[in-house]
Every structure is written in C-alpha cells, then in structure tokens.
Amino acid sequence: MDKNFYITTPIYYPSGNPHIGHCYTTVACDSIARYKRMQGYNVMFLTGTDEHGLKIQQKAKDAGITPQEYVDGIVAIFKKLWSYMNIKYDRYIRTTDDYHIESVQKIFKRLYDKGYIYKGKYVGKYCTPCESFWTPSQLKDGKCPDCGREVIDAEEEAYFFKMSLFAERLEDLLLNTDYLQPKTRAIELVNNFIKPGLEDLCVSRTSFTWGVPVTFDPKHVVYVWIDALSNYITALGYENGKYDDYKTFWPADVHMVAKDIMRFHALIWPAMLMALEEPLPKHLAVHGWITFNGDKMSKSKGNVVDPFILGERYGCDAIRYHILREMALGADSDFSNEILINRINSDLANGFGNLVSRTVAMVDKYFGGTLPAEREEAPLDKELIDLAVSICPKVDEFIDNTMIKQALETIFTLVDRANKYIDETEPWVLGKDESKKARLATVLYNLLESIRITSTLLCPYMPTTMPKVWEQIGAAEADVTYENAKKFGVLPANVTVHKGEILFPRIDVNKEIEELNAIIAANAPKKADEPEFTPEPQAEQIEFESFQAVDLRVAKVVECEKVKKSKKLLKLQLDDGMGGRQVVSGIAQWYEPEDLKGKKVIIVANLKPVVLCGEESKGMICAADLPDGSCAVQFADDKMPCGAKLR
C-alpha cells in the first residue's frame, strides 16, 4: 500500500500583505512535507486563502475596486512570498474558486437537510477583524477575546449550526485522544467553551453580500467558518468534480494552525465532520505567535517585519531556519533583530557554514581536493560515527510529533560534535607529518560524511542551500537520500571536493541591528499625535540642462566638530574622491559629530565657497525637512564610492 501523507496550513485571510508572522506555519508545513517526501511518502501539501467576508468587502470599497480585484492583488503577493521562501505546496485553494463554492453550497444544504442547520435570529456581539460572533460572557474586558479589539452590536436573521449536539463527543476528542497537540491547549478549550455550555454557531449572514450564496435562501451568504474550514476537503474533490483525491488523502495527517484560530479547528471543524459523518483529521498541531517585544505582530502596532526585506539581506534559508529553530510547538517566539542575527551567526555562520568551509578547505590544501583511499582509524572516530548514524531516527520521531525546533536541535548536535572533532584531531598538525597522511584522510573523510548526513537532514528546512553543500563535499544525488542518512561511509573513499562560496557570511551585529531598526521605524504607522507634514510647494519646472548644472556627489565624513562661534553649525572634513574638502552645515541641533563620522553623505559639490562664522564651506550637504521642524541628513549607500556622481 502506498504511504500517503496530507498536511495543511490554514487558509490565510488576505486583508493585507503577508509579514514574517504569516511565514511560520507555511514554512513549518513545507519542511514537514519535504521530510515526508524524502521518506518516500506520497504527499499532499495544501495552502491557500480565505477570501470572503465583510472585512474584505469593506477593504475593497475603501480601495475603490471590487472584492475580487482586491483579493486577486493580495493573493498574488502571498504566492510571490511562498515562491520566494521556496515553499513547495502541492495545491493552492482560494475560497473564490468555482469548485470550492460548489462544494460549500452542497455541504451547507446537506447539513440543513440532516437537521443540523436551522434558521433563527442572531443577537449579540461581533468582531469584524476576526469575523467572529461572541456572547457578552465570552468578551474580555468588553472586547474581542481573540484580538482585543472593540466589538459591535449585531442583530440579523441567520442560520445556525447545532454545535451543542456535539459537546460530549468533542470533549472526548480533546481529552481522550492525541488529536490536539500540545495537550494543554485541549484542556484550555474544554474549560473555556465546552464546560460552560457549547452554544450553537451562526453560519450565515445577510448584512453583506461578499460570500457563497445559500442556494435555497439567496439573501443569505454562508458565513466564514463553514466556507473556510471546508477547504481541507473541497481541495481534494469533496462534492465537486475538480479533483479526485479525497479517498487517497483524507483524513488529514496534520492540520497546523496558530493558537488564535485553534478554537475553530478543534471545535467547529470536527463537529462539522461529525455531522457530515466523515472521518476526523488525525492531528491538529497548534503553535504560538511570532511576537515583537512580546506583542503579536500587527500592522496597527507598527511591528510588522517584511519577509522580503529579511530574505534579501540574509537569504530565505537563513530566515526559514531562524523561525523554525526559535519556536517550540505551543509557545510564542519573540522576534528581534538581535535574536535573528545572533542565530544566523552562531548556528549557520560559525557552526554549520564554518564546518563545511574548514573541511573542504583542508581537503583542498592537504590533498589537492581528492582524498586518498588509505585509512588509519582511531578510537576517537567511533563517538562521532555512532552519533552520526543515531540522528535520523530521533529526527523522525520529532517530525512525527510536529516538533521541528527539537528536530533541528538534534541535527545540530552532530554539527557541534563534528566541530569539536576537528579540535580533538588537529588536522593542521597531522598535515605537517607525512607519515600521518592516512590518519588525516580518515579524519577529513569522517567530517565529510558528517556533513553529508547533516545536510541531508537539513535539506527539508533549508532546501536552497543544501545542494550547494553537496556540490562542495562531492556528494552525488544518490548519496543524499533518506536511507543513506542512517549510514556512515557512503561517499567514495577517494571523494573529490570543490571549494565554493561562503554559505552563510557572518553579519556585523551592531551595524545590522541599526539598519534593521531603521527599516522597521520607517515602516511604522504614524502615531495619532505625530505632526502632520505639508510639503513645500513644488518649484518651477526647469530644463534638463539646468539640472545637469547641479553636481551631486558622494562623500565620506572623515572628521566632524562643532563650530565654536555657533550653536547651529557643524564643520565636516569630507573625502570627496577629489582631494577632500570642508563643508559647514547647520545641523548641529539634530546631529552630534560622532553621529556623522564615517558615514557617507550626498553633497552639492559645485556651490561657490562661502564663509560661515569664520569657516569656509565648499558645498552643501543634502538633507530633508521633517514634520516636527527638524531635518534628516540623506546618507548614501556604503557601496557608492567617494566622488560618485548622482544622476
């Protein structure tokens, strides 16, 4: 029988562009899917977008476009991000897809015909951002218990799903099976929602039109959870002719979601399936949030981190590794620039990357890139080899329990042990003794094999970088299979290495933190008390020849000091690539000399010299007015050489 494996992310709500907080679930599911494919499973990895609802309709109206146009634009960005992060999903579902709409209408009608859906009237509280109805007793300090935002009074005709009928079965599912991981979340749900009395669920709306129409009552649209949650089976062809994979892959092996939507997946979704008399998913894995200074990432708080920016700076594999390595299942993971950079430096640059580059460099230095076949074993080798062949089964167990952080920690015990093995065996000493060549070859071969096993097991998490490793260590495609990850001695005895690029360059921590903080600050929303900025009127248009007359150049601040006779002026000595010059600038109120020294600025180089407070100034530094009346110097990119002309 074929080994099938079905894993899903939630379908994301495209009310805004994705950020690093969206990435964890998708990267985690992608890594597990890749690992299962490596093990020989027939994998279905599903992701997608939940595109209906009042909030989408309102966003589209504000933008002056149709809801479909709005979601099409956001979905394109989601797909671009998943491509950028090297996400290899098998199927992408949109709730606006025709086949999904067909299935949802049939599911709603079936539940109605079976007596599980009835018409009534909803009176209560509603959170528009969460698309959630709440009773007054469920509110926290009068606000939405999920997102903490204000709720509104809601009253409208609606259809309801008889959730209360499934309370006992849901409690048994949560407490007496391993359906929900971690178990603490299951106990929390039972105490908060089932013990107080599970209420019937509002499953239709009449106050907006952007949704799936109820076939037998068209003024109603199917409310978000029956629409959205059904995607896990409609994407397999349930109640539609688009696909024919339901019998192959259902029930799902793993649904992975963040803790803020676990209630819907742990209570509503199983109840729907029970009512439909369909099998229940095997596992629901609930993870925490990527937080920023302890707060959940939110555009309204200004703490969103753009994954495109991070990926451009460090590569997608470093970002994938960081977010997977930091978050334990069920717990939150705080994001900071310092944590990110230190993780890249410690694990990837100093740890794994350094192991690869040192080993390949030594094979190249001592043997011209190709190891001799002669060997000389030593007792020290056994500890490394025994550890290497024990890693894979441990990783298997962690992956089966969606414990990716622990899987990565286990793999890196081999990285740490191999680096220690280098210090213990001292290859640089062996290389000086001609009689120790066979011993040296053994040491380096053991290191290459450790790297082969490590990189094979790391490939699901860092799929872009590991093929580069295999090329450097001389591993063929057949050498880096799952089965060979449990063996030692797979590489040819006379393996040939190929020196390559540095896999993970070390990052200057202080400089990088400063630059990332500046990016985050620039993207933060304007505070309510922040002064409005009115640009000066545009100057009269000029001919291109007039613009050419202004000579803008890049210059580096070599020295900087305050002008003694003035509180406003700074005197700067600049390297302008043309012999140097002195410029006096009225920015002393906003910059200390040490703020500018070593920085590159843009100057107007062809201004006639003037004397200010007794100091000659040959040019002007470019700066911009700010809303509070201050100014900001326009710094140039470090890559621009001194004297470069701006055009």
Side-chain angles (χ1 to χ4, degrees):
M1 180 180 293
D2 291 336
K3 297 191 299 181
N4 299 311
F5 185 83
Y6 183 30
I7 186 169
T8 74
T9 71
I11 50 174
Y12 302 105
Y13 201 54
S15 58
N17 292 341
H19 54 71
I20 195 69
H22 289 96
C23 288
Y24 178 82
T25 322
T26 315
V27 171
C29 288
D30 178 69
S31 299
I32 293 172
R34 287 175 180 271
Y35 196 88
K36 289 296 181 179
R37 291 189 195 106
M38 188 172 70
Q39 288 180 306
Y41 282 81
N42 176 31
V43 172
M44 174 64 72
F45 168 28
L46 175 71
T47 190
T49 33
D50 169 18
E51 302 177 18
H52 290 130
L54 176 60
K55 184 160 59 171
I56 295 292
Q57 185 170 303
Q58 291 174 338
K59 290 266 189 180
K61 182 179 179 181
D62 293 343
I65 56 178
T66 68
Q68 189 66 58
E69 289 171 331
Y70 180 84
V71 294
D72 286 348
I74 301 296
V75 167
I77 298 172
F78 268 92
K79 287 188 173 182
K80 179 182 177 183
L81 176 59
W82 300 152
S83 175
Y84 192 73
M85 295 296 290
N86 204 350
I87 303 296
K88 192 177 180 182
Y89 54 79
D90 297 289
R91 198 159 290 169
Y92 191 102
I93 187 170
R94 302 178 59 178
T95 56
T96 52
D97 289 334
D98 289 345
Y99 75 89
H100 173 76
I101 292 172
E102 174 191 351
S103 296
V104 168
Q105 290 178 325
K106 291 179 179 178
I107 290 170
F108 194 95
K109 182 64 162 59
R110 178 180 294 182
L111 293 173
Y112 179 78
D113 290 342
K114 289 167 69 72
Y116 291 116
I117 286 179
Y118 63 93
K119 183 183 282 190
K121 185 178 182 181
Y122 177 81
V123 179
K125 303 295 183 179
Y126 180 69
C127 175
T128 301
C130 291
E131 301 269 3
S132 297
F133 289 105
W134 302 100
T135 62
S137 64
Q138 291 173 326
L139 299 180
K140 186 175 181 180
D141 299 325
K143 297 180 180 180
C144 173
D146 277 352
C147 72
R149 294 182 176 93
E150 297 290 340
V151 294
I152 61 174
D153 291 322
E155 180 176 338
E156 63 182 274
E157 179 183 276
Y159 285 93
F160 290 82
F161 174 57
K162 296 180 179 179
M163 282 283 294
S164 53
L165 295 179
F166 301 96
E168 186 175 335
R169 291 175 64 184
L170 289 171
E171 182 173 349
D172 180 68
L173 174 71
L174 293 175
L175 297 184
N176 299 322
T177 75
D178 61 352
Y179 170 66
L180 197 157
Q181 302 166 330
K183 197 71 171 182
T184 52
R185 298 292 187 194
I187 297 170
E188 174 186 329
L189 286 171
V190 169
N191 290 337
N192 290 345
F193 293 98
I194 297 179
K195 293 294 187 185
L198 193 60
E199 298 186 353
D200 289 349
L201 179 73
C202 180
V203 291
S204 80
R205 299 292 303 278
T206 58
S207 56
F208 61 89
T209 58
W210 182 240
V212 178
V214 174
T215 53
F216 54 89
D217 198 346
K219 69 179 180 180
H220 288 258
V221 295
V222 178
Y223 185 51
V224 61
W225 294 114
I226 283 189
D227 179 9
L229 291 166
S230 297
N231 91 91
Y232 302 123
I233 54 178
T234 66
L236 299 178
Y238 185 85
E239 291 288 8
N240 66 73
K242 177 73 172 179
Y243 298 109
D244 188 25
D245 299 309
Y246 184 74
K247 291 182 179 179
T248 302
F249 289 107
W250 192 258
D253 292 272
V254 177
H255 288 318
M256 185 175 287
V257 301
K259 63 182 181 180
D260 53 339
I261 57 172
M262 69 173 174
R263 176 173 67 95
F264 312 112
H265 290 78
L267 298 175
I268 300 173
W269 180 226
M272 284 174 56
L273 291 168
M274 291 172 184
L276 291 169
E277 299 181 35
E278 299 292 344
L280 301 186
K282 297 175 185 176
H283 296 295
L284 174 65
V286 177
H287 64 78
W289 294 325
I290 295 180
T291 61
F292 192 92
N293 295 329
D295 289 332
K296 181 186 178 185
M297 286 194 177
S298 163
K299 291 182 184 295
S300 63
K301 294 178 181 177
N303 59 10
V304 165
V305 180
D306 189 331
F308 288 107
I309 292 175
L310 297 179
E312 287 171 4
R313 298 181 80 87
Y314 316 121
C316 74
D317 275 4
I319 307 307
R320 286 173 63 109
Y321 176 79
H322 169 71
I323 60 178
L324 294 176
R325 179 63 177 76
E326 289 297 325
M327 185 180 288
L329 187 68
D332 291 344
S333 169
D334 197 33
F335 179 95
S336 75
N337 301 334
E338 187 172 4
I339 293 172
L340 168 68
I341 295 163
N342 286 335
R343 177 65 68 190
I344 292 173
N345 280 345
S346 63
D347 290 12
L348 301 182
N350 295 346
F352 182 69
N354 191 41
L355 172 64
V356 175
S357 61
R358 291 172 76 190
T359 303
V360 171
M362 287 189 289
V363 175
D364 189 65
K365 177 180 179 179
Y366 297 121
F367 296 107
T370 301
L371 288 181
E374 293 79 17
R375 295 286 183 266
E376 180 183 327
E377 312 296 337
L380 191 60
D381 304 338
K382 187 176 186 302
E383 183 180 341
L384 177 67
I385 295 171
D386 287 348
L387 176 64
V389 297
S390 72
I391 295 294
C392 187
K394 296 175 183 176
V395 174
D396 289 351
E397 184 175 354
F398 285 127
I399 292 299
D400 287 342
N401 289 285
T402 59
M403 300 171 70
I404 300 175
K405 172 183 170 70
Q406 290 83 351
L408 287 170
E409 289 174 346
T410 300
I411 296 170
F412 267 77
T413 61
L414 180 54
V415 174
D416 295 340
R417 186 65 191 87
N419 277 316
K420 182 181 178 183
Y421 180 76
I422 293 177
D423 296 334
E424 293 170 336
T425 55
E426 299 181 318
W428 51 90
V429 175
L430 297 174
K432 297 177 182 178
D433 188 342
E434 193 65 30
S435 68
K436 297 294 184 181
K437 289 293 185 181
R439 178 59 190 152
L440 176 59
T442 303
V443 169
L444 295 178
Y445 181 82
N446 289 343
L447 290 170
L448 289 173
E449 274 292 275
S450 298
I451 294 169
R452 178 190 61 79
I453 292 172
T454 301
S455 59
T456 300
L457 296 175
L458 283 177
C459 190
Y461 316 102
M462 295 188 281
T464 303
T465 305
M466 294 310 114
K468 299 176 184 178
V469 175
W470 301 335
E471 183 178 351
Q472 291 192 26
I473 67 172
E477 185 176 345
D479 299 330
V480 289
T481 64
Y482 171 75
E483 289 302 323
N484 281 336
K486 296 177 280 188
K487 302 174 184 176
F488 205 90
V490 171
L491 289 173
N494 61 342
V495 62
T496 298
V497 302
H498 308 277
K499 290 183 70 175
E501 63 184 38
I502 297 175
L503 301 172
F504 300 102
R506 184 169 174 79
I507 302 167
D508 183 322
V509 178
N510 293 331
K511 178 182 176 183
E512 196 68 17
I513 288 175
E514 181 181 340
E515 292 185 8
L516 279 180
N517 284 342
I519 290 170
I520 292 171
N523 291 334
K526 187 172 74 68
K527 297 177 182 177
D529 58 352
E530 189 175 311
E532 293 291 337
F533 177 66
T534 303
E536 291 184 13
Q538 181 177 302
E540 292 184 6
Q541 292 184 345
I542 61 174
E543 299 293 337
F544 181 67
E545 290 74 13
S546 299
F547 167 72
Q548 284 185 307
V550 181
D551 191 2
L552 298 175
R553 301 275 181 159
V554 176
K556 184 175 183 179
V557 181
V558 179
E559 297 291 342
C560 183
E561 60 181 315
K562 294 184 177 181
V563 175
K564 295 179 181 178
K565 299 179 182 180
S566 172
K567 295 181 179 180
K568 296 181 178 180
L569 299 179
L570 291 179
K571 181 172 64 175
L572 302 95
Q573 306 301 326
L574 304 178
D575 176 5
D576 61 359
M578 298 176 284
R581 70 175 68 204
Q582 175 176 292
V583 170
V584 177
S585 180
I587 56 175
Q589 302 171 70
W590 306 293
Y591 290 91
E592 295 295 326
E594 56 268 25
D595 295 333
L596 300 171
K597 190 174 179 180
K599 299 288 182 64
K600 287 185 177 179
V601 296
I602 297 170
I603 63 170
V604 181
N606 61 337
L607 281 181
K608 290 183 179 180
V610 296
V611 176
L612 302 172
C613 291
E615 299 287 351
E616 184 179 38
S617 180
K618 296 182 177 180
M620 178 186 293
I621 291 176
C622 293
D625 295 325
L626 298 181
D628 61 1
S630 65
C631 80
V633 170
Q634 177 61 61
F635 294 110
D637 193 303
D638 275 344
K639 293 183 288 188
M640 295 181 179
C642 294
K645 183 178 175 66
L646 274 71
R647 303 183 185 279

